[in-house]
Amino acid sequence: MGTLIEEIFSRRAGRTVQAGEIVLLDVDTIMSHDNTTPLAIKAFREIGKPLRDPSRIVIHFDHAYPAPNLLAAENQQKIVRFIREQGIPNFYHRGVCHQVMIEEGFVRPGGIVIGADSHTVTYGALGCFSTGLGSSEIGAAWVTGKTWFKTPPTIHVVLEGRAQPGVFSKDVMLHLAGQLGMDGATYRSLEFSGPYIDSLPVHERLVFSNMSVEVGAKCGLIAADDTTIAYLEQETRAVGPFERIAVHNPQYEREIHLDVSQLGPQVACHPDVDQVRSLESVQGLALDQVYIGTCTNGRYEDLVVAANILRGRQVHRFTRTLITPASQTIYEKALANGLIQVFLDAGCTVNAPGCGACIGRHGGVLAAGERALTTMNRNFIGRMGSPEAEIFLGSPAAAAASALEGCIADPRKYL
Amino acid sequence: MARAWKFEDNLNTDEIIPARFNITIDEKELGGKAFCEVRPDYAAGVQPGDVVVAGWNFGCASSREHAPLAIRGSGAICVIAASFARIFFRNAINIGLPILESPEASAGIAEGDEVSVDLGAGIITNLTRGTQYQARPLPDFVLRIAAAGGLVKFLREHDMEELTA
Ligand code: SF4
């Protein structure tokens, strides 16, 4: 009896769990990356007890990889020593942690995954409860195999209608973020459903879960359906059979209904993710950089959308255009299908898979006074380098069209 | 005397400590950069025992524990806010940085006010204005973690199961 989060928690706890209850649950997988693992190691050493099960630990290098400076290099060296010392089998440097987690089969419907990264919520789109925690909790979970959760109340987001050409799940999610505000779902579970969600392929669903943390949510869940199972079987290493957990007479705290057919392309304006406007209203703002990548929109299908707009054209000569495939697997597929050539021909720079320019440390840092349009999930002050740079967020199509014109541009004319 | 440093609503982790400084886990070093972009005068001016006072949704965005560490490293003894973002809330408790949730205190304390805080009782006194506030009580198991000085210290002595027992 319950919402998706209550059903998942009840299944794991072996009893009925309802919103408001505090539960201590076994976690399937514990994720961390080069940025957050050092503090987890420190916590682990201070606790002074052994790892519960090394095979449930997954460590990625993606945030600053390959190391852009000496400090990062030394950090990563320490993590590698720890991985060797503790015999941790799951160590990846194949791209953004969240994408690699899905590809490598650590994400399953009904599963429970925690990660030392706020966008761990991404896996909710596959019916998996996943959430971000701080490094000490990750170090603690290495030892205990468990974490406490306060079962959150749920905001049900029902999406109806069919999106217009040139409008993607990113536009819909940005619109929702604008409506909800940055704390609109704090301590809540977001549950997405409705005909629009049903019609979406998994790569577009992932955007909703990924950005649910941007409105403060603990998780952003979508119940597993045939599309989910087919994706897991075809695109990931996850091995079935897969559970399908559904809601049963759910009690929602609140319902939000949105007809997406009315929506045009959206942009989140500097300096907050909820400063959302129609793309049309900010058209023409000059751009120094366009960045297509990240755990939000750096997937193969995103690159296809961008390549279709860039093919046979040239990006503006004063707009650095960076393409960073989210993972090595995506990079290989883009290479095999000619997308990388399209990007190179158009004058883009293709970076190694990973977080790239997303955290302002390497791969496309912004100077004071510069403005970027990116496919990222966050546009806080200083996120990509100088605190005096401006970051706008949009879909891969909007990013590609804007790269061509050197200013924020409507992708619909290039479709 | 403890002095209040006042911040706005929705202060995010990048504003507490920008991502580019998270290369270190040294609390003091992080503290030296705390709030450097929103309040460049903070790190040099904060005195041990001062308090950070903020609005709604303090510490939103990233999961980085560097954020509460930077605040503790800066010398501030606690954060008083109208509300806290989820991960920041957990992180602060887990590293043992006291946090007090009180929309009333958040509204009633201005920049530079003299404040004293009884952490155990959750009582906040604004000495400048002669007002007092009671922070929202924390759940029992959170108090158990806080009493141990954070999750790591708790787990040195106890099992996880004892938290919810
Ligand atoms: S791509 Fe950006 S948002 Fe995603 S995990 Fe990396 S740094 Fe975080």
Side-chain angles (χ1 to χ4, degrees):
Chain A
M1 296 290 279
T3 60
L4 210 42
I5 182 87
E6 288 168 339
E7 290 290 327
I8 294 171
F9 280 11
S10 296
R11 184 85 48 119
R12 186 60 56 108
R15 63 178 174 87
T16 304
V17 173
Q18 288 180 326
E21 273 182 69
I22 290 162
V23 284
L24 189 63
L25 297 178
D26 278 329
V27 297
D28 300 323
T29 306
I30 308 157
M31 195 278 297
S32 60
H33 53 64
D34 50 315
N35 214 7
T36 50
T37 304
L39 274 171
I41 294 174
K42 184 166 176 267
F44 167 76
R45 301 250 193 250
E46 282 172 21
I47 293 167
K49 295 177 185 174
L51 296 180
R52 174 82 155 229
D53 178 359
S55 73
R56 285 205 255 163
I57 298 173
V58 187
I59 297 177
H60 301 261
F61 282 1
D62 60 348
H63 272 59
Y65 185 81
N69 56 47
L70 190 55
L71 262 175
E74 287 168 354
N75 246 342
Q76 289 172 23
Q77 181 184 45
K78 278 186 206 136
I79 299 171
V80 169
R81 284 188 184 140
F82 175 77
I83 290 169
R84 286 169 174 270
E85 164 201 302
Q86 296 291 329
I88 294 169
N90 306 309
F91 169 44
Y92 296 95
H93 30 84
R94 291 188 58 82
V96 184
C97 53
H98 305 305
Q99 179 60 20
V100 177
M101 288 294 281
I102 296 170
E103 288 173 357
E104 298 298 321
F106 292 103
V107 177
R108 312 167 57 85
I112 296 185
V113 178
I114 56 171
D117 188 279
S118 62
H119 292 104
T120 305
V121 288
T122 308
Y123 326 144
L126 295 159
C128 175
F129 171 75
S130 56
T131 198
L133 300 173
S135 297
S136 292
E137 284 201 89
I138 293 301
W142 286 351
V143 169
T144 65
K146 295 178 197 305
T147 300
W148 64 267
F149 301 103
K150 186 162 179 197
T151 315
T154 295
I155 300 176
H156 188 202
V157 182
V158 185
L159 301 173
E160 281 142 3
R162 188 187 289 246
Q164 295 168 20
V167 177
F168 301 85
S169 62
K170 178 64 161 288
D171 300 294
V172 178
M173 185 59 206
L174 287 176
H175 177 77
L176 281 170
Q179 300 284 301
L180 279 162
M182 283 164 62
D183 62 350
T186 303
Y187 301 117
R188 304 293 184 277
S189 168
L190 284 178
E191 201 174 298
F192 298 92
S193 72
Y196 174 67
I197 291 287
D198 295 343
S199 71
L200 283 184
V202 167
H203 71 270
E204 287 216 61
R205 295 181 184 183
L206 287 163
V207 174
F208 289 105
S209 301
N210 177 269
M211 290 192 66
S212 56
V213 70
E214 257 52 71
V215 291
K218 174 176 263 175
C219 57
L221 301 175
I222 298 175
D225 61 6
D226 290 346
T227 306
T228 320
I229 308 296
Y231 177 88
L232 286 166
E233 285 169 348
Q234 289 155 24
E235 307 277 340
T236 79
R237 289 178 195 268
V239 184
F242 300 109
E243 276 187 293
R244 293 190 193 213
I245 297 180
V247 298
H248 288 108
N249 300 325
Q251 301 274 317
Y252 295 116
E253 183 185 75
R254 197 178 148 198
E255 295 226 6
I256 297 171
H257 287 259
L258 177 70
D259 181 355
V260 304
S261 55
Q262 306 303 319
L263 221 57
Q266 306 285 303
V267 171
C269 301
H270 174 79
D272 279 314
V273 72
D274 59 1
Q275 301 302 306
V276 178
R277 299 207 203 135
S278 74
L279 182 144
E280 277 159 335
S281 68
V282 287
Q283 263 185 121
L285 271 183
L287 296 171
D288 303 285
Q289 181 164 307
V290 163
Y291 173 44
I292 299 173
T294 79
C295 58
T296 316
N297 280 124
R299 300 196 169 77
Y300 177 75
E301 295 80 359
D302 297 320
L303 300 186
V304 171
V305 167
N308 286 343
I309 293 173
L310 295 170
R311 186 171 287 113
R313 300 187 168 107
Q314 284 295 308
V315 301
H316 192 279
R317 70 189 181 108
F318 290 124
T319 307
R320 289 184 300 277
T321 303
L322 314 172
I323 313 275
T324 306
S327 75
Q328 208 94 314
T329 307
I330 293 167
Y331 196 174
E332 281 168 29
K333 197 167 165 187
L335 192 62
N337 294 335
L339 305 186
I340 301 297
Q341 194 61 50
V342 171
F343 296 136
L344 296 176
D345 290 346
C348 306
T349 299
V350 180
N351 279 327
C355 299
C358 190
I359 45 162
R361 228 179 272 165
H362 66 147
V365 177
L366 297 181
E370 288 194 319
R371 185 183 295 126
L373 181 92
T374 87
T375 64
M376 288 153 45
N377 43 35
R378 278 195 180 140
N379 57 344
F380 302 144
I381 290 172
R383 175 78 178 178
M384 296 180 80
S386 168
E388 284 149 59
E390 293 184 10
I391 309 167
F392 288 65
L393 310 177
S395 73
S402 302
L404 293 175
E405 298 193 14
C407 60
I408 296 182
D410 197 323
R412 288 174 291 191
K413 58 183 144 175
Y414 296 98
L415 296 176
Chain B
M1 272 320 262
R3 174 168 177 252
W5 293 80
K6 188 80 190 270
F7 295 87
E8 297 170 11
D9 292 346
N10 290 318
L11 204 87
N12 65 56
T13 46
D14 276 75
E15 289 165 325
I16 298 172
I17 179 86
R20 61 183 182 281
F21 298 122
N22 294 340
I23 206 79
T24 175
I25 55 175
D26 185 282
E27 204 173 301
K28 287 275 168 304
E29 222 174 290
L30 290 167
K33 299 280 188 249
F35 304 111
C36 62
E37 274 154 19
V38 281
R39 286 293 299 272
D41 58 328
Y42 175 86
V46 67
Q47 297 295 319
D50 281 0
V51 299
V52 169
V53 181
W56 299 96
N57 202 27
F58 183 80
C60 57
S62 127
S63 69
R64 72 183 66 128
E65 226 163 82
H66 305 79
L69 280 176
I71 296 175
R72 196 172 68 185
S74 77
I77 51 153
C78 69
V79 183
I80 299 165
S83 70
F84 292 92
R86 190 187 74 80
I87 305 178
F88 183 90
F89 179 87
R90 294 180 77 117
N91 284 347
I93 289 163
N94 288 335
I95 68 146
L97 170 72
I99 49 176
L100 297 140
E101 193 174 285
S102 167
E104 301 79 22
S106 161
I109 300 173
E111 172 69 26
D113 282 359
E114 262 181 42
V115 173
S116 85
V117 182
D118 180 342
L119 289 172
I123 294 170
I124 304 153
T125 310
N126 187 337
L127 300 166
T128 305
R129 285 157 218 273
T131 46
Q132 204 167 62
Y133 308 94
Q134 173 71 55
R136 301 277 141 87
L138 294 167
D140 269 0
F141 77 104
V142 168
L143 292 175
R144 269 177 236 173
I145 298 175
L151 183 65
V152 164
K153 291 197 179 121
F154 178 88
L155 285 173
R156 289 172 68 108
E157 313 290 335
H158 306 273
D159 282 337
M160 196 74 172
E161 283 73 10
E162 292 172 46
L163 264 189
T164 50

